[in-house]
Amino acid sequence: MPRSRRAHAARRGGRGARSSAKAESQASDDEAASEVLSHYSSASESTSIAEEGAGSDAVDEQAQQEEVEDKLKECIDNVTDKSTRTRQVALESLRLAFSSKTLFDFLLERRLTLTDSLEKCLKKGKGEEQSLAASVLTLLCLQMGSGPEGEEVFRSLKPLLISILTDSSASPIARQSDLVSCLTSLEGIFGTSCPEEGSSVPTHHSPLLQTLHCSALQSWSLLLTICPSSQIKKILDNHLLKLPLLLSSDNVNLRIVAGETIALLFELAHELEEQFFCEDTDLLCSKLKALATDSNKYRAKTDRRKQRSIFRDVLHFIENGECHEETIKFGLECMYVDSWVRRRMYYAFKEVLGSGVRHHLQNNELLREIFDLGPPLVLDAAAIKASKISRFEKHLYNSAAFKARTKARSRVRDKRADVL
C-alpha cells in the first residue's frame, strides 16, 4: 500500500478508535445511570422488616442498606467529577434516592461536603446541571428537616440561588429550578406575563419563559401560605386585581396556576376578614365560568378537560366558599386536602418528591410537622398484617364495585328511569 494511503488509513483508524472509545464511555455512563436508578427504584419499593416479619430478612435489609450507602457515597464523589455527563448522572441518582428514601442519619455528616459540591455545580455548570443541582439541594434541605442543619444548608446557598434566579441571561431551565427567593423576586418574573398598561392583550413569551413564569407564580403562591397577616393585606391590595389578567394568557398552565392562586388569595382574605368582599367578583366569576365551560376546538382536548375541571373548582369556591376535598392515603393513614392552602403545599411536595411523596408523608418528620400528622407511626408486624387484605379479597371487592357501577349507569341510561 502506498505511504499516503497507509497514513490516511491510520488517521481514519485513529478517529474510529476515538469515536468508539467515546461511544463506549457514553454507553458505560448510561449503564451506570441505569444501574443506580434501577437500584434505588427497587430499594424504594422493597418492604420493611416489620412487614416481612422474619429474622433472615433483617440481615438482607442490612446488606441492602449498606449497598445503598456505598452507591450514595460514590454518587456524592462523582458530583465533582471532571466529566459533565458523570456529574449529571450522579445528580440524577441522588435526586431519585433522596425523593424515595429518608436518609437523615447518612446525610447528617456529609451535608457540608455535598453542599460544597452542589455550589460548584450551580456556579460552573450549565442549564441542565444547574437544574439538577438545585433539585438535589431542595431535597437535601427536606431530608435535613426544620432543625439547624437544614437552615445551615439553605442559608449557605441562598445568595447564589437568588443571583441565578434574577439573572435574566441565565438559562430559563436553571432559573426555573431555583425558585427559593423572596416574593418580590418572583413577582418580578411572572408579572411580565400580565398585559401592559392600557392593553387588554397579554404579553407573549417563548414556551420556556412561560414555563418559568408558571413556576415563579406557583412558588410565589406557596410562599403566601406562610406569610404574616400584614404581608397578606398588602398582597391583596396589589395583586387581587392584577392576577385575573393572567386568565387571558395563551398558556393553559399559566391560566390554571393563576386561577388556583386567585382561589388561594380569596381563602387567605376570608381568614383575615370573614365578610371579605371584592368589588370585581362578578366580573371575575364571568371569566372563571367561561374557562370552566371552554370548548374551543383549537385547544387540545386534554388541556380543555384539565382547565374545565380546575376552573369548576375555583368558581365553586369563589361563589360558595367550598373547596373540593381530596383524600391522600399512605400506609395505614390518610390526609385530607380540604383547602387551597393545603392543596398548594401538598402539590409542591408532590412535584419535588414524585412517587416518593407517600413514603415521606409516612416517615419524614418535617412533612408530618407541616401537615400536622404527628410523629411517625411505629407499627408491629401484627398490626400491619391485620390492616392488609388478600389479593383474592381485593378482586372480589373490585368485581362487586364494578357490577354496582354498571347497574347504576344502566339505570340512568334506561329511558324507563325517566318514567319512574
Side-chain angles (χ1 to χ4, degrees):
M1 181 186 293
R3 180 180 299 175
S4 60
R5 290 188 180 180
R6 287 200 300 269
H8 175 71
R11 286 195 299 271
R12 186 172 57 188
R15 286 196 298 271
R18 287 193 297 272
S19 176
S20 176
K22 183 177 180 181
E24 289 177 3
S25 175
Q26 178 81 7
S28 65
D29 279 343
D30 290 341
E31 288 174 4
S34 177
E35 179 188 352
V36 172
L37 295 181
S38 63
H39 178 84
Y40 288 131
S41 297
S42 62
S44 65
E45 293 169 0
S46 62
T47 54
S48 67
I49 300 173
E51 289 175 319
E52 296 296 336
S56 60
D57 290 339
V59 177
D60 293 340
E61 180 136 343
Q62 179 64 31
Q64 187 184 64
Q65 181 66 24
E66 291 176 359
E67 186 180 355
V68 168
E69 292 185 359
D70 288 340
K71 289 185 177 294
L72 281 171
K73 292 173 186 175
E74 183 181 349
C75 289
I76 292 174
D77 290 339
N78 286 342
V79 170
T80 56
D81 193 88
K82 292 182 179 180
S83 167
T84 302
R85 172 66 180 170
T86 301
R87 293 197 302 271
Q88 290 185 1
V89 168
L91 289 168
E92 177 62 21
S93 300
L94 290 174
R95 185 194 67 77
L96 182 58
F98 291 2
S99 64
S100 60
K101 305 282 284 184
T102 44
L103 301 161
F104 177 83
D105 293 333
F106 173 82
L107 291 171
L108 184 60
E109 61 185 38
R110 297 173 176 85
R111 69 186 187 282
L112 298 181
T113 300
L114 182 55
T115 301
D116 291 340
S117 301
L118 293 175
E119 182 177 8
K120 292 176 183 177
C121 292
L122 289 168
K123 283 182 176 179
K124 299 179 180 180
K126 301 302 180 183
E128 183 64 26
E129 183 179 341
Q130 287 178 306
S131 176
L132 284 170
S135 297
V136 173
L137 175 61
T138 302
L139 291 166
L140 178 60
C141 290
L142 189 57
Q143 289 278 351
M144 290 295 96
S146 58
E149 297 86 3
E151 287 282 338
E152 181 185 26
V153 171
F154 174 71
R155 293 189 183 282
S156 64
L157 290 185
K158 179 182 176 182
L160 176 59
L161 293 171
I162 291 179
S163 69
I164 295 174
L165 174 67
T166 55
D167 180 8
S168 59
S169 64
S171 162
I173 297 176
R175 294 173 66 200
Q176 179 184 338
S177 297
D178 296 333
L179 303 179
V180 290
S181 77
C182 64
L183 290 165
T184 304
S185 297
L186 295 169
E187 290 169 9
I189 295 173
F190 71 77
T192 59
S193 282
C194 292
E196 297 179 2
E197 188 174 354
S199 171
S200 59
V201 181
T203 305
H204 294 276
H205 296 283
S206 68
L208 271 179
L209 280 178
Q210 287 182 332
T211 302
L212 171 66
H213 293 181
C214 187
S215 296
L217 181 54
Q218 284 181 316
S219 299
W220 183 78
S221 64
L222 179 62
L223 290 178
L224 295 183
T225 65
I226 58 173
C227 277
S229 301
S230 57
Q231 185 67 32
I232 293 296
K233 290 179 180 178
K234 295 178 182 178
I235 289 171
L236 288 171
D237 293 339
N238 294 330
H239 290 86
L240 205 51
L241 297 179
K242 292 181 181 179
L243 282 176
L245 299 175
L246 292 176
L247 298 176
S248 302
S249 170
D250 59 344
N251 184 286
V252 62
N253 291 321
L254 189 56
R255 292 197 300 272
I256 287 173
V257 175
E260 292 174 328
T261 305
I262 290 169
L264 175 64
L265 277 177
F266 266 79
E267 184 174 88
L268 293 172
H270 282 292
E271 288 179 2
L272 292 176
E273 184 181 344
E274 189 173 348
Q275 301 300 322
F276 171 79
F277 174 75
C278 178
E279 294 181 359
D280 294 329
T281 300
D282 291 340
L283 178 60
L284 173 62
C285 287
S286 297
K287 288 184 178 181
L288 295 173
K289 187 174 182 179
L291 291 168
T293 57
D294 185 7
S295 59
N296 288 320
K297 298 298 182 182
Y298 65 85
R299 303 196 200 279
K301 182 182 290 186
T302 53
D303 288 347
R304 293 202 308 269
R305 187 182 297 114
K306 180 181 178 183
Q307 175 180 287
R308 288 198 294 262
S309 175
I310 295 294
F311 280 102
R312 280 197 297 267
D313 291 343
V314 174
L315 179 62
H316 185 69
F317 177 77
I318 300 296
E319 290 182 333
N320 304 306
E322 298 176 358
C323 181
H324 173 73
E325 184 176 292
E326 185 176 357
T327 303
I328 312 299
K329 295 182 179 180
F330 47 96
L332 303 182
E333 303 173 89
C334 67
M335 178 180 75
Y336 299 103
V337 180
D338 53 3
S339 69
W340 289 97
V341 167
R342 206 169 176 84
R343 179 172 177 159
R344 178 80 282 273
M345 293 165 63
Y346 170 70
Y347 279 100
F349 286 114
K350 185 178 179 181
E351 184 177 354
V352 171
L353 296 168
S355 59
V357 67
R358 284 177 167 78
H359 170 82
H360 281 266
L361 284 171
Q362 279 184 273
N363 303 289
N364 189 304
E365 293 184 0
L366 176 60
L367 257 70
R368 295 185 68 86
E369 180 183 340
I370 289 172
F371 290 107
D372 299 321
L373 298 173
L377 297 183
V378 179
L379 301 171
D380 57 21
I384 294 174
K385 186 176 181 180
S387 69
K388 292 185 174 181
I389 61 175
S390 69
R391 182 177 296 181
F392 179 66
E393 289 174 317
K394 286 183 181 179
H395 173 71
L396 290 178
Y397 173 80
N398 291 333
S399 297
F402 177 77
K403 289 179 181 178
R405 286 196 301 269
T406 302
K407 288 181 179 179
R409 290 170 181 169
S410 296
R411 284 197 298 270
V412 172
R413 294 191 189 104
D414 197 335
K415 293 181 179 180
R416 288 175 296 179
D418 294 335
V419 177
L420 292 175

